[in-house]
Amino acid sequence: MSHDVAALAPEWFERVWNRCDKKRLHETIHPMCFGTLEGGSIKKANAFIEKRYRPFLGAFPDLHIEVITIIANENEAFVRWRAVGTYRADTLGVEPF
């Protein structure tokens, strides 16, 4: 199945991050996804959800992501985005101040 990655990217940020739509996250994330983030690599969808997604939304409950630029081809997209939120919980290992 082919996807329009240029259209999927902003929809993903809006639904998965801004609306905290966990159902959409599970619909769109590949079970064997891979990414390198602060603190190391993530090699599976469940690890991303447990180690990054839930803790980040716990720390920034009012998170809002604005998509600024998308550059895409048939299979991948580069997305430049800006995030705004208030750090309220220590779910990332650092106490709020």
Side-chain angles (χ1 to χ4, degrees):
M1 179 191 321
S2 177
H3 296 286
D4 180 356
V5 294
L8 178 61
E11 185 261 351
W12 188 79
F13 278 96
E14 177 59 33
R15 288 186 56 190
V16 171
W17 290 100
N18 292 341
R19 297 184 197 172
C20 304
D21 186 342
K22 293 168 192 66
K23 181 180 179 207
R24 186 62 176 149
L25 173 61
H26 287 280
E27 291 170 352
T28 56
I29 195 167
H30 191 280
M32 299 302 291
C33 70
F34 178 85
T36 302
L37 307 158
E38 304 82 17
S41 296
I42 299 289
K43 296 184 179 177
K44 293 188 178 181
N46 288 339
F48 170 78
I49 293 166
E50 292 301 318
K51 294 180 179 179
R52 294 294 187 263
Y53 183 73
R54 286 187 183 145
F56 203 81
L57 289 178
F60 297 93
D62 61 345
L63 179 72
H64 180 77
I65 295 178
E66 173 190 5
V67 173
I68 299 167
T69 305
I70 301 171
I71 300 170
N73 62 26
E74 292 179 13
N75 299 312
E76 59 191 359
F78 165 81
V79 181
R80 185 166 62 114
W81 50 272
R82 175 183 2 227
V84 176
T86 308
Y87 192 59
R88 298 198 186 269
D90 68 351
T91 58
L92 297 176
V94 179
E95 289 286 330
F97 49 90

